[in-house]
Amino acid sequence: MILLYPFMGIRRLEQIRRALASYNPQRPSKKIIYQLDQERPERDIYWLAGLLEGEGSFFDGPPSSPNRPRIQVFMTDEDIIAQAADFFGVRYSLARRYGAEAMKWKPAYLTHLRGKRAVELMKQLYPLMGNRRQEQITNALLSYDSNKRRKNTAKLSEEQALEIYRRVHNGERQHQIAADFGIDRTTIADIKRGKSWWWLTGEVR
C-alpha cells in the first residue's frame, strides 16, 4: 500500500489511509502518510499503462478521419480523468448519456488523445499492456499511415453527431436519418455502435 500510495486517486487514497491507520499498534501511519503526501512523485508511463489496462481503450480512426487513431479513458473518478488528461496534454469533459436509466448513473468523464501523438504513445505503451489492449493497439497502428492524406468526406459537427445518436437510439430508421444528413447509412451505423464519435456519445464498441 505504501508503494502504491503515490499513484492513487482520491478514492483509493482514503482507503489506504484507513487501512494503514488500523495496522500498526505503534501507530506510525500518520507520519508515513505525511511523508508520502510531501514526496509524491511525478506520474510516469507505468501509472498510465495501469490506468489504461483497466479503464482505457485504443481505437483506429473514425470513417471521417481514418488517419487519427485514439486513446480514450472513460470513468467516473474525475480526479483520475483529470490526471490522465494532464498527462495527454488535453482537456477532459463530462460524458453525455441518454436513456431512461441515465439519471441513476454516477457522472462519468472522458478524455482522449488522437493522431500522431496517440500513435507514438501507443508504441511506448504496447510492451506494458495485456493481450486485449495489445490487440487494440495493433489494429489502431495498422490503420495509421503517416504519409496518407486525410479524407474530408462526410464531415459532421458535434451537434449533428449527437443528433444522429439520439435519433437512431429513439428507433428512427437509419436510411431516413442518412438521407436527412446527406451521408451514407454506414456512418449512421458506426455512430450507433460506437465505431465513430464514441468520445462524444460515450458509446464504446
Side-chain angles (χ1 to χ4, degrees):
M1 290 184 197
I2 293 171
L3 289 173
L4 291 170
Y5 185 92
F7 302 99
M8 297 294 104
I10 293 173
R11 185 160 55 96
R12 301 305 185 194
L13 289 177
E14 183 57 33
Q15 291 176 345
I16 291 176
R17 288 190 183 101
R18 289 198 302 267
L20 291 179
S22 69
Y23 170 65
N24 196 318
Q26 297 178 358
R27 299 294 180 184
S29 58
K30 289 185 179 180
K31 181 178 179 181
I32 290 172
I33 287 184
Y34 175 78
Q35 292 173 342
L36 290 171
D37 280 334
Q38 296 301 308
E39 301 172 5
R40 187 166 183 165
E42 294 294 324
R43 293 184 303 276
D44 59 21
I45 194 67
Y46 296 99
W47 176 88
L48 184 64
L51 174 67
L52 294 175
E53 184 65 49
E55 306 291 346
S57 296
F58 302 87
F59 299 103
D60 49 2
S64 59
S65 300
N67 208 29
R68 304 189 76 185
R70 288 177 177 265
I71 302 173
Q72 177 178 291
V73 191
F74 180 85
M75 60 189 305
T76 58
D77 290 305
E78 185 177 5
D79 61 310
I80 300 300
I81 281 286
Q83 291 183 49
D86 185 59
F87 191 103
F88 291 160
V90 299
R91 297 179 179 180
Y92 70 94
S93 61
L94 180 67
R96 298 181 176 95
R97 302 208 218 177
Y98 303 96
E101 298 296 315
M103 295 297 293
K104 301 178 183 178
W105 300 336
K106 294 175 63 176
Y109 304 88
L110 60 89
T111 187
H112 62 268
L113 181 67
R114 61 188 176 188
K116 183 178 180 180
R117 290 174 57 212
V119 167
E120 294 304 318
L121 186 54
M122 287 182 198
K123 292 177 182 178
Q124 192 176 2
L125 287 166
Y126 184 88
L128 306 176
M129 310 308 292
N131 292 338
R132 183 162 59 105
R133 300 306 185 196
Q134 286 187 345
E135 183 178 353
Q136 290 179 351
I137 291 174
T138 297
N139 291 334
L141 294 179
L142 286 173
S143 73
Y144 179 78
D145 180 359
S146 60
N147 297 315
K148 183 168 55 180
R149 296 178 63 186
R150 294 178 181 173
K151 297 181 180 179
N152 294 315
T153 58
K155 283 191 173 180
L156 296 169
S157 67
E158 291 186 355
E159 291 75 15
Q160 288 174 322
L162 284 172
E163 178 65 20
I164 289 170
Y165 184 81
R166 284 192 290 265
R167 288 175 61 177
V168 75
H169 280 277
N170 283 336
E172 293 190 43
R173 294 185 178 277
Q174 293 184 22
H175 69 83
Q176 181 60 57
I177 302 173
D180 290 346
F181 287 88
I183 57 179
D184 193 86
R185 274 185 62 182
T186 57
T187 302
I188 307 298
D190 287 343
I191 293 174
K192 179 181 180 181
R193 295 197 301 267
K195 291 184 67 176
S196 62
W197 293 99
W198 58 82
W199 59 94
L200 187 64
T201 64
E203 189 78 29
V204 179
R205 64 177 174 175

